[in-house]
Amino acid sequence: MKQGNELAIAVQVRQMQTRKRTPREVVDEALSRIKDRESEIGAFAHLDAEAVRRRADECPIDRSLPLAGIPVGVKDNIDGVDGPTTCGSSIYRARMAPIDAPIVSALQRLGAIPFGKTVCTEFATFTAGKTRNPHQLEHTPGGSSSGSAAAVAAGFLPLALGTQTAGSIVRPASYCGVVGFKPSRGRYSPGGVKLLAHSFDTVGWFTRTVSDARYVQSALRGELEDGRLASRLPVIGLCRTPWWSQGDMALMDQAFKFLTRGLKAFGIGHRWLDAPPEHAALVEHHGTVMRYEVAQSLGAEYGQFREELSPSLRALIEEGQAVRASAYMQACEAIDRESAMLSSWMHGLDAVVVPAVPSPAPRLELGTGDPVFCRPWSALGGPAVAFPVLTMPSGLPFGLQAVAPRYDDERLLWAAQWLERAVSNSASQPTTPIHP
């Protein structure tokens, strides 16, 4: 029998609405799990257990609240009045926000219980915090939403917020074996988030399953799911992308084969397609825009607290300061052109599956991983869903991601549920060539 933390979010909500469990019981179970493993994983930057218990005791159980009693972790670059928003930097170690970020307020209005601040890499860049991968403690959980991904993977929380500028939701989700949903850019307000690169910064979340991610999306939208999608199967595209050679090609190929076997079992149509030649420059364009905007966003910190920044962050800011405005505008224009082409490239498809990460999670000393497979889709601004596919002999997960044109979020999540089912179906077959 599944434990409470393993149940779908919708099931947990129904249990509380029917008085089979209380929010306090849910919170106490989460705190018990955290007590057992937090010292080795380090998912939280700040956690006030008594404050969380008080919120649970005060939580209204109302059938109109679709997230009533559900704990949610808040990434440490997102404002929440339950603790300081440090952005993973000593510069802001005592910074208390006067109000919650809009996304935190929205979840609270739906009944969710903010549950501490989860570890964020330094200003959501590449200098890691204390968090370790729950599956192998000597490996990275990814970044920058390190603590959120690890908290869900460890079973601490059913839901945690993250942000993505390059690959900060998709990469840690794949490394930690959970689902990471990056909505279309602009779908949810980035207010109350310490911005890094305003052209790309996007708020999203981590859950155990795609179904849970879709449930949260429906709750935030305040709308029922589109019934038209239930009457058919999705049509899936598969693309190795121009950056295929930058990853473990044999492992990525194994993940695609594993997925397609499940798709065939369900009779889900799928076909391979090549990325437009122009897409090959997207990684470079994303890097140019990101560096330029990071230099602007963190200019004050660089000017006043330079010595408190890590050497790698100082170098990133200085690289951005060297980017000419004309080069920045050219990169923005190129991204806009590619974004306009995406719908025609994906015509007739509900989602395109592409690599998420080049390899399983690297060891801690090697950093938080390469976002090369995430940068193009962050640049284009559409939604992305990372979902687990394989498990290595070491226990480390390895996933893929599904992408779609901007604002096709609901259709993508629906298609991703079928992808999740296909993976599960493939794993259940006796001749599964799993665990490479």
Side-chain angles (χ1 to χ4, degrees):
M1 179 180 294
K2 289 185 177 180
Q3 301 297 314
N5 64 305
E6 298 174 323
L7 296 172
I9 289 176
V11 173
Q12 294 187 55
V13 171
R14 284 198 297 273
Q15 286 184 339
M16 286 182 275
Q17 289 175 340
T18 57
R19 312 297 175 177
K20 292 180 180 177
R21 298 170 77 203
T22 67
R24 178 61 180 266
E25 289 172 337
V26 171
V27 160
D28 282 342
E29 288 175 9
L31 290 171
S32 176
R33 293 189 295 273
I34 290 167
K35 182 179 179 180
D36 289 341
R37 293 201 70 193
E38 171 62 8
S39 62
E40 63 180 13
I41 294 173
F44 289 93
H46 175 84
L47 176 58
D48 185 336
E50 289 309 309
V52 171
R53 290 189 178 104
R54 285 196 300 273
R55 288 194 194 93
D57 290 339
E58 297 166 358
C59 180
I61 299 301
D62 187 316
R63 291 185 181 275
S64 68
L65 300 177
L67 294 175
I70 295 298
V72 54
V74 180
K75 185 179 177 180
D76 192 26
N77 65 339
I78 303 173
D79 284 343
V81 298
D82 61 331
T85 305
T86 75
C87 304
S89 171
S90 61
I91 295 171
Y92 291 123
R93 54 186 169 270
R95 179 184 176 274
M96 297 295 295
I99 60 173
D100 291 326
I103 186 65
V104 177
S105 294
L107 291 170
Q108 284 185 283
R109 288 194 299 271
L110 297 171
I113 300 174
F115 203 105
K117 304 302 283 291
T118 56
V119 170
C120 172
T121 62
E122 182 191 27
F123 288 109
T125 56
F126 302 103
T127 300
K130 63 180 180 178
T131 311
R132 294 169 177 261
N133 193 305
H135 300 282
Q136 281 289 335
L137 297 177
E138 298 309 311
H139 290 252
T140 181
S144 62
S145 306
S146 311
S148 289
V152 174
F156 295 165
L157 301 171
L159 172 64
L161 292 174
T163 61
Q164 179 157 313
T165 306
S168 293
I169 292 174
V170 167
R171 190 164 85 259
S174 187
Y175 287 166
C176 291
V178 297
V179 170
F181 175 52
K182 184 197 81 69
S184 292
R185 186 170 64 248
R187 190 65 185 270
Y188 298 101
S189 171
V193 176
K194 175 61 176 173
L195 294 181
L196 184 64
H198 63 267
S199 290
F200 307 134
D201 292 341
T202 305
V203 175
W205 52 86
F206 298 87
T207 56
R208 289 181 55 255
T209 66
V210 177
S211 298
D212 279 353
R214 191 180 181 198
Y215 180 85
V216 173
Q217 168 82 341
S218 295
L220 284 165
R221 289 183 67 213
E223 299 177 13
L224 296 175
E225 296 172 356
D226 190 340
R228 292 172 296 180
L229 296 174
S231 63
R232 65 179 179 88
L233 294 174
V235 181
I236 304 298
L238 308 168
C239 182
R240 291 187 173 88
T241 77
W243 312 279
W244 181 258
S245 63
Q246 297 187 41
D248 184 330
M249 293 184 287
L251 179 58
M252 293 187 295
D253 189 58
Q254 174 76 358
F256 273 107
K257 287 179 179 177
F258 190 71
L259 172 65
T260 54
R261 191 170 72 168
L263 294 175
K264 290 175 182 176
F266 278 116
I268 295 174
H270 55 280
R271 60 182 173 87
W272 286 95
L273 66 161
D274 294 323
E278 297 85 356
H279 276 203
L282 277 172
V283 169
E284 180 181 351
H285 294 325
H286 178 277
T288 298
V289 174
M290 180 174 168
R291 287 190 294 272
Y292 184 90
E293 294 184 358
V294 166
Q296 292 184 327
S297 297
L298 298 180
E301 288 82 1
Y302 180 84
Q304 298 178 48
F305 301 100
R306 185 178 183 278
E307 296 308 312
E308 292 190 51
L309 302 177
S310 69
S312 63
L313 182 53
R314 290 200 300 266
L316 179 62
I317 293 170
E318 289 161 3
E319 289 171 8
Q321 291 170 339
V323 174
R324 292 180 176 275
S326 58
Y328 168 73
M329 292 304 299
Q330 288 170 3
C332 289
E333 290 167 358
I335 289 171
D336 287 344
R337 289 194 298 271
E338 293 305 303
S339 182
M341 293 171 54
L342 192 62
S343 292
S344 59
W345 179 62
M346 289 188 61
H347 180 71
L349 301 171
D350 294 297
V352 173
V353 178
V354 296
V357 288
S359 67
R363 291 183 63 85
L364 290 167
E365 63 268 22
L366 299 178
T368 60
D370 188 346
V372 61
F373 288 115
C374 305
R375 286 184 184 272
W377 315 107
S378 291
L380 295 173
V385 181
F387 58 98
V389 178
L390 299 176
T391 303
M392 304 297 103
S394 64
L396 287 172
F398 183 76
L400 298 170
Q401 65 174 321
V403 299
R406 197 170 182 184
Y407 303 128
D408 271 1
D409 299 45
E410 284 68 42
R411 188 160 60 125
L412 176 65
L413 283 166
W414 163 75
Q417 275 191 274
W418 281 103
L419 295 171
E420 184 175 63
R421 292 168 187 162
V423 169
S424 178
N425 180 278
S426 191
S428 69
Q429 296 184 46
T431 56
T432 299
I434 195 172
H435 311 315

